[in-house]
Amino acid sequence: MTENHQGSVPGRQRKRFPGISSRAYEHPADRSALVALRKLSGFDTAFKALSGLLPERSLRLLFLSDSVRVSDAQFSHLNDMLRDACYILDLEKVPPMYVTQDPKPNAMCIGLDEPIIVLTTGLVELLDEEEMRAVVGHEVGHALSGHSVYRTVLLFLTNLALKVAWIPLGNVAIMAIVTALREWFRKSELSADRAGLLVGQDVRASMRGLMKIAGGNHLHEMNVDAFLAQADEYEKAGDLRDSVLKILNVLPRSHPFTTVRAAELKKWSESRDFQRIMDGHYPKRSEDKDASVTDSFRESAGHYADTVRTSKDPLMKLVGDIAGGAGDLAGDLGGRLRNRFGGGQGGGKAPDGGSGGGEEKDGPGRDAQGEG
């Protein structure tokens, strides 16, 4: 069942974003990972086949029968937050939300035809009102982005992989798709964190929520700034061996590490992109059909190039140094070849006295990529 949010208003004064497109808050890595996922050999065929096999009706009945559905009569404060989040992000149909008994703090948005939001009792008991508001906004962001479909497939395949682990090669094929889905889903969490901030509009509350998920309900013993310092230490700590261990540690996870999420969200909250959205300048859903795929690729490529260039991780610094060295070498070789075979004059000048074409193109290319 769904309901319309019309007539509901936020519990406190917050900005609303009529017609906002998920492109406004989606992390570039989320979009590029999803594109890469769809290019995975056989993924589309497998996805379509699996979609028909997924027991979605059974899943909905399971939550209806064995969890508590949020409404005006049950968990009414959560129901108000849900309506507020849909109002702020202008999601017309309010997804059903359930609270299920589980001491582990967690939340998810699943479903193929229509999204369902599920919160665990561990999470509800852990967070205060403003922290929970960011989490509910996070899940509504998943719904608006259409993430619930792939999340549902990921859950199904993860369970299936455990059941067919004894079949030779069968588990290998499934785990290839599971690994790709997990890589995308980790990136999609960064997008949903941004949506949660747009809904809650309280970056400290978002930080506290992530900190509590990492360290429990001992807020008086924790400090947001110290928690963010951990993320910086994690990124630049160790040598190349530690960089490899970081990759191995994150591969089986569906979510990025909490310190990393906190650092990413704080960085975005201080960015020009976030401020433009808060000022009312953002892409609209009505423009989605005209959105340029090329621009999305360029933005994703620019993001990764910027990540490599600014990262403090030893492996990323090595990749950046190698890429920079290769670029310098290519430019040097290109200049020598032009001088020897192209009739150019010393210093890379063209016969008419203008700059050589290769050098002129390299400069703006790097600038454009860096700004992407």
Side-chain angles (χ1 to χ4, degrees):
M1 295 257 325
T2 58
E3 57 181 301
N4 196 289
H5 68 60
Q6 300 300 325
S8 63
V9 294
R12 64 176 173 81
Q13 189 63 41
R14 286 187 300 279
K15 293 185 178 179
R16 184 176 180 244
F17 310 102
I20 189 170
S21 167
S22 61
R23 290 181 292 119
Y25 59 80
E26 281 174 348
H27 194 282
D30 173 10
R31 289 197 296 272
S32 59
L34 191 54
V35 169
L37 176 66
R38 288 166 175 163
K39 286 186 176 181
L40 185 68
S41 179
F43 175 76
D44 281 342
T45 302
F47 180 79
K48 289 176 182 177
L50 286 167
S51 296
L53 296 174
L54 290 177
E56 183 175 15
R57 293 180 67 87
S58 175
L59 191 66
R60 291 177 181 275
L61 288 171
L62 178 63
F63 283 116
L64 189 61
S65 64
D66 204 33
S67 300
V68 176
R69 185 163 65 188
V70 172
S71 66
D72 287 331
Q74 302 182 116
F75 290 103
S76 59
H77 70 293
L78 294 178
N79 197 42
D80 289 341
M81 289 183 195
L82 177 61
R83 286 200 299 258
D84 286 356
C86 293
Y87 177 81
I88 290 170
L89 294 181
D90 199 17
L91 185 64
E92 183 177 355
K93 291 186 176 180
V94 180
M97 186 160 75
Y98 295 87
V99 175
T100 189
Q101 174 62 34
D102 187 342
K104 185 176 181 180
N106 197 13
M108 59 182 172
C109 181
I110 56 176
L112 296 177
D113 296 329
E114 292 183 352
I116 302 173
I117 296 174
V118 181
L119 309 175
T120 66
T121 51
L123 187 69
V124 173
E125 293 163 4
L126 178 66
L127 304 183
D128 67 24
E129 180 177 348
E130 292 303 307
E131 295 157 5
M132 180 59 73
R133 192 181 298 280
V135 169
V136 173
H138 173 112
E139 298 306 325
V140 170
H142 275 313
L144 183 58
S145 292
H147 290 161
S148 62
V149 175
Y150 294 98
R151 173 62 167 164
T152 305
V153 172
L154 175 58
L155 287 172
F156 176 76
L157 286 178
T158 302
N159 292 331
L160 183 62
L162 295 174
K163 294 178 181 178
V164 301
W166 59 274
I167 301 176
L169 299 181
N171 190 46
V172 174
I174 293 174
M175 286 310 298
I177 299 178
V178 167
T179 300
L181 275 167
R182 279 178 178 159
E183 169 61 16
W184 159 75
F185 194 75
R186 286 191 293 270
K187 301 300 187 291
S188 75
E189 286 297 297
L190 302 178
S191 297
D193 283 344
R194 294 177 174 187
L197 179 57
L198 290 176
V199 167
Q201 298 176 25
D202 184 346
V203 68
R204 300 295 286 188
S206 294
M207 297 291 106
R208 291 198 310 269
L210 289 168
M211 192 167 59
K212 282 185 176 180
I213 290 172
N217 194 16
H218 303 282
L219 198 58
H220 63 288
E221 299 283 356
M222 296 184 284
N223 179 278
V224 169
D225 294 328
F227 187 65
L228 290 169
Q230 287 181 226
D232 186 63
E233 181 180 347
Y234 170 79
E235 183 182 4
K236 65 184 180 183
D239 53 22
L240 292 178
R241 292 170 297 178
D242 294 295
S243 297
V244 174
L245 289 174
K246 290 176 188 176
I247 295 172
L248 294 177
N249 284 341
V250 81
L251 279 178
R253 295 174 59 92
S254 62
H255 289 60
F257 293 116
T258 48
T259 56
V260 175
R261 290 173 63 184
E264 283 277 351
L265 187 59
K266 184 173 186 294
K267 180 180 178 182
W268 187 68
S269 73
E270 297 169 348
S271 71
R272 182 170 175 269
D273 289 340
F274 175 73
Q275 191 56 55
R276 281 181 57 81
I277 295 174
M278 295 303 294
D279 289 341
H281 305 294
Y282 51 83
K284 303 291 181 64
R285 253 167 275 167
S286 58
E287 303 163 354
D288 282 350
K289 62 181 182 302
D290 301 320
S292 170
V293 175
T294 302
D295 288 345
S296 296
F297 276 122
R298 187 181 296 114
E299 184 179 357
S300 297
H303 163 77
Y304 278 115
D306 185 60
T307 298
V308 171
R309 184 169 54 253
T310 61
S311 177
K312 301 171 186 176
D313 181 84
L315 181 58
M316 289 295 100
K317 289 172 70 175
L318 177 62
V319 170
D321 290 342
I322 291 174
D328 293 341
L329 178 60
D332 183 57
L333 287 175
R336 292 187 183 190
L337 288 172
R338 283 193 301 272
N339 289 337
R340 182 164 184 176
F341 300 109
Q345 299 173 4
K349 296 291 184 179
D352 62 359
S355 299
E359 291 186 37
E360 184 68 24
K361 289 179 182 177
D362 283 346
R366 283 195 298 269
D367 290 342
Q369 190 178 54
E371 292 173 4

